[in-house]
Amino acid sequence: MKRIIFATGNAGKVREIKAILGDLGMEILSMKEAGIKVEPEENGATYEENALIKARAVAALCDDIVMADDSGLEIDYLNKEPGVYSARYMGEDTPYSIKNANLIERLNGVPDEQRTARFVCAIAAVLPDGRELTTRATIEGRIDYEEKGEGGFGYDPIFYVPEFGKTTAELTAEEKNQVSHRGKALQLMKEELKNV
Ligand code: IMP
């Protein structure tokens, strides 16, 4: 059976990825499950570059298909901050309750129509023969006025999706996978992988 190794240490992402790619007929492993440890510097200027940096670093250590993602939150009012720096915003180890409170504070007094934001996700795949593929998808929403919901991770409690009338932290995992940036980018990559 072909194997896909997903280059992330984030358990939340691994869960989402296994749920979405589960029916591809390939074995899906996290880096940890594959016994691979590598932490390349994510110094790319775009989501695609960062995803490729991670996938190439793992691909150099195995003969499997390697996939990686890079994602972030773009807030229009803040000139698309935190963007590719989303994980590092206010420091990598700063709790998201503090990061989320800070973003809400920076939008203090800003009305609904100017609170628009999106999650962006790029997925990269490096194949054993060296071929490289990338896909990208987004989910549009706006920054809420307070944290809501217990699900998801990161900025989910402040990312309000008008179609649902809820934040992405209030969606079930299944609902989020169907509409999220990562879910949609993974679906696109799944289609690409069927043709390789
Ligand atoms: P990455 O792990 O380098 O891709 O960093 C992406 C960062 O963007 C995460 O650490 C979160 O801060 C944020 N992010 C990306 N996707 C999501 C999501 O689905 N929900 C909440 N935050 C997210």
Side-chain angles (χ1 to χ4, degrees):
M1 195 196 264
K2 279 193 194 170
R3 304 198 323 166
I4 298 178
I5 298 176
F6 207 96
T8 183
N10 180 325
K13 284 187 185 176
V14 174
R15 258 197 313 278
E16 290 186 2
I17 288 148
K18 286 189 174 176
I20 292 166
L21 298 183
D23 59 353
L24 205 50
M26 301 188 198
E27 190 185 359
I28 299 160
L29 294 96
S30 65
M31 271 199 314
K32 197 171 164 195
E33 287 164 338
I36 295 176
K37 209 173 172 197
V38 58
E39 278 190 42
E41 201 187 334
E42 294 175 34
N43 53 9
T46 64
Y47 301 103
E48 282 80 1
E49 276 174 33
N50 279 336
L52 278 167
I53 286 169
K54 289 182 260 190
R56 286 175 188 145
V58 174
L61 303 174
C62 65
D63 298 319
D64 303 294
I65 299 171
V66 179
M67 280 171 56
D69 83 323
D70 195 64
S71 49
L73 173 66
E74 295 183 351
I75 302 177
D76 292 322
Y77 187 80
L78 303 179
N79 297 315
K80 299 203 161 57
E81 270 188 62
V84 285
Y85 300 104
S86 292
R88 287 162 278 176
Y89 182 66
M90 297 183 79
E92 192 105 34
D93 296 328
T94 303
Y96 274 88
S97 53
I98 293 177
K99 300 190 196 203
N100 287 338
N102 169 271
L103 290 173
I104 288 170
E105 179 58 30
R106 289 180 69 191
L107 266 64
N108 189 21
V110 176
D112 277 358
E113 62 275 17
Q114 290 178 48
R115 301 176 78 92
T116 50
R118 69 203 53 74
F119 280 127
V120 182
C121 177
I123 303 280
V126 177
L127 309 184
D129 65 8
R131 272 180 293 167
E132 296 183 339
L133 310 168
T134 61
T135 60
R136 169 192 275 242
T138 60
I139 174 173
E140 299 288 331
R142 59 179 191 246
I143 302 304
D144 214 331
Y145 296 85
E146 59 185 13
E147 285 197 307
K148 287 181 197 139
E150 306 294 327
F153 65 96
Y155 300 105
D156 280 325
I158 61 167
F159 188 80
Y160 177 83
V161 187
E163 288 99 295
F164 287 96
K166 289 177 181 174
T167 68
T168 40
E170 292 176 298
L171 300 180
T172 64
E174 210 170 51
E175 285 171 334
K176 187 182 168 194
N177 284 344
Q178 275 171 18
V179 295
S180 80
H181 50 316
R182 189 169 305 98
K184 291 188 289 190
L186 276 166
Q187 289 289 356
L188 292 172
M189 183 56 80
K190 191 171 165 180
E191 293 308 311
E192 299 254 334
L193 286 176
K194 284 180 185 165
N195 302 322
V196 298

